Amino acid sequence: MKKKLLSASIALMCLGSFNAQALTYVTAKALIDVKTGEVIHSPLLTIDNGVITEVTPNKKPKITKDDQHIDLPELTLMPGLMDMHVHLTSDPTVSRSERLSQSVPRMAIKAAHFAKKTLLAGFTTLRNVGAQGYSVIAVRDGINAGNIIGPRIWAAGPSLGITGGHCDNNRLPPELKYTSTGVADGPWAARLKVRENIKYGANAIKFCATGGVFSKGTKVGVQQYSFEEMKAIVDEAHMRDLPVAAHAHGTSGIKTAIKAGVDSIEHASFLDDEAISLAKKHGTWLSMDIYNTEYTLSFGKQNGVDEENLNKERQVSKKQRDSFKRAVNAGVNMVFGTDAAIYPHGDNAKQFSRMVKFGMSELQAIQAATINSAKLLKMENKLGQLKPGFAADIIAVDGNPLENISVLEHIPFVMKAGVVYKK
């Protein structure tokens, strides 16, 4: 009997050894603690099954034959970057009239292509704030299933908006009787549209509170949804624990959306003192795309952007940057959001230098794209830092971004969930 027990014990020990999870060790020149700004020299990160289990300085890994050691002796480690405002189905080099002929399957293929491109640029988490036909939800699910390569995605379904508003399609003649999928007028219709988006897999909700730059026939600063409609959208989404983003350029729409309880204001171009005060009071996050104006005004005409839209961009650009500076100085919550699709996907990091130019420190800009964005997504205990218990979403840069933020525009190493995608 004792021999049988001994044999069984040895067998279990061997089985446990055989099935032991191999570890990944990452060493580098330095590591940026994005919460404090501290630079940790010669860090060692231990990764088990896609999660960081240990971070120690000046320590060498004890590697077994099954373990992996990634040594980056000239590079500095940071958490993967996060962009809270992208549209993966859209390509700025394709005119808006040409986009009308694109099918939803074609959009999904483009989104998969741009998702990979954005991941390789160092952005391991995205929030896609609106796409037709649940196309980006399909891409997100494909990434999660391992069918395609891309970042973590929080995907809104079709953006909600009023009839004829910024989130409707106003470029077709009336006899076609076309209305965008997300159009909903009135509080109960808006609630129904939120429920529909959730039914088909949305894990974020986006609505248009004001007119916009790139729509036809809308005035960029004019409020569209009423308070009652916005409140219905927010309440319905929050019951299901989904974050809500409000596209809002105009002052009235911004303030109404904040009062309605949105989690983030997108663009936030025309801020006044009351809007800033309300954002601080409610803890609302601002996502301000202050780089893409340069691309639009430089390349918009050759890309087929209508003169109406270029004129609206000229109205918004300086005002938005002034609002950004005032909001930063007031200490309003900020996340990193680029509106990539208005300019090329993969160039997301070009916004960092503008955020610094218009009022942020380098650390504040980095925090907007890491710990702040993680808080907006309610993932602050899993994403946005390089700490034990956090996902092994890691990038490495050549230089110190706290001294030169532009090094984030060229990322030589990208890891997501412990898997290396670029080295």
Side-chain angles (χ1 to χ4, degrees), residues 247-267:
H247 160 105
H249 285 284
T251 311
S252 174
I254 292 169
K255 291 189 280 194
T256 304
I258 292 172
K259 292 173 184 176
V262 296
D263 299 284
S264 67
I265 298 290
E266 312 301 304
H267 312 298

Side-chain angles (χ1 to χ4, degrees), residues 34 79-84 125 154 243 285 334-336 366-385 390:
V34 295
L81 302 171
M82 307 169 79
D83 191 337
M84 294 294 99
T125 299
W154 269 253
W285 298 94
M334 288 277 191
V335 293
F336 186 93
I366 291 168
Q367 288 174 336
T370 52
I371 57 176
N372 290 2
S373 291
K375 287 178 182 177
L376 170 58
L377 297 177
K378 300 180 182 178
M379 295 294 289
E380 64 268 30
N381 295 321
K382 294 182 179 179
L383 300 176
Q385 297 185 64
F390 280 64

Side-chain angles (χ1 to χ4, degrees), residues 177-215:
K177 300 185 183 301
Y178 180 82
T179 298
S180 291
T181 312
V183 167
D185 298 310
W188 282 108
R191 279 185 180 270
L192 176 61
K193 194 59 64 173
V194 172
R195 292 170 183 174
E196 186 176 280
N197 277 8
I198 296 171
K199 174 182 178 178
Y200 294 116
N203 56 348
I205 297 295
K206 188 265 191 85
F207 70 86
C208 290
T210 75
V213 171
F214 283 91
S215 51

